[in-house]
């Protein structure tokens, strides 16, 4: 199954030279294929002769990090399924610390915003309730 990608594809993947769609396709395939992970690691080892784990490679290059907007939509459950899976993979499997920090930050912001809306609604409700009583 992992031979659906050529060495050139994998090289391009490591260089982030594929389209977002193709990057996601490779990442999805990698997820279910230890063989593909070995091939990727092999390609990378030949390239820089370093001994880095794939996780390190990913983190080092921050491969295909979703945008802050995408992360925000992901947290709100507003992404299409494929895109959401991709972001989830990036956060949970790749474990990109940059995006994890970013999404924690966004989640806090969203929680604060939700609080503000709730208290605004409360105030509005209380003031209109008071207004109704007076009449
Ligand atoms: Zn990232």
């Amino acid at each position: 199954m992992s031979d659906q990608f050529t060495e050139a594809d994998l090289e391009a993947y490591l260089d982030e030279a594929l389209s977002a769609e193709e990057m996601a396709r490779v990442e999805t395939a990698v997820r279910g294929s230890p063989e593909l992970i070995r091939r990727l690691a092999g390609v990378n080892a030949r390239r820089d002769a370093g001994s880095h784990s794939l996780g390190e490679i990913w983190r080092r290059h921050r491969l295909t990090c979703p945008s802050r907007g995408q992360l925000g939509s992901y947290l709100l459950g507003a992404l299409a399924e494929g895109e959401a899976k991709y972001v989830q993979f990036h956060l949970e499997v790749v474990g990109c610390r940059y995006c994890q920090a970013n999404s924690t930050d966004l989640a806090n912001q969203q929680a604060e915003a939700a609080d503000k809306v709730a208290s605004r609604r409360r105030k509005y409700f209380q003031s209109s309730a008071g207004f109704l009583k007076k009449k």
Side-chain angles (χ1 to χ4, degrees), residues 12-77:
Y13 173 72
L14 290 170
D15 285 337
E16 298 185 63
L18 297 172
S19 70
E21 204 173 282
E22 287 167 328
M23 294 295 294
R25 216 160 58 83
V26 175
E27 290 199 359
T28 304
V30 164
R31 189 177 197 170
S33 170
E35 160 67 16
L36 194 53
I37 291 174
R38 266 197 305 279
R39 283 184 59 202
L40 267 177
V43 169
N44 192 65
R46 275 200 301 284
R47 279 154 44 114
D48 67 11
S51 57
H52 302 286
S53 74
L54 194 59
E56 278 168 335
I57 297 164
W58 264 321
R59 279 189 280 275
R60 196 175 62 213
H61 292 292
R62 296 215 325 255
L63 284 185
T64 62
C65 285
S67 69
R68 206 170 150 86
Q70 274 180 308
L71 280 174
S73 303
Y74 169 73
L75 291 171
L76 294 169

Side-chain angles (χ1 to χ4, degrees), residues 58-59 61-66 71 90-91 94-100 102:
W58 264 321
R59 279 189 280 275
H61 292 292
R62 296 215 325 255
L63 284 185
T64 62
C65 285
L71 280 174
H90 187 78
L91 288 174
V94 176
C96 174
R97 283 194 211 149
Y98 175 79
C99 289
Q100 281 172 349
N102 228 335

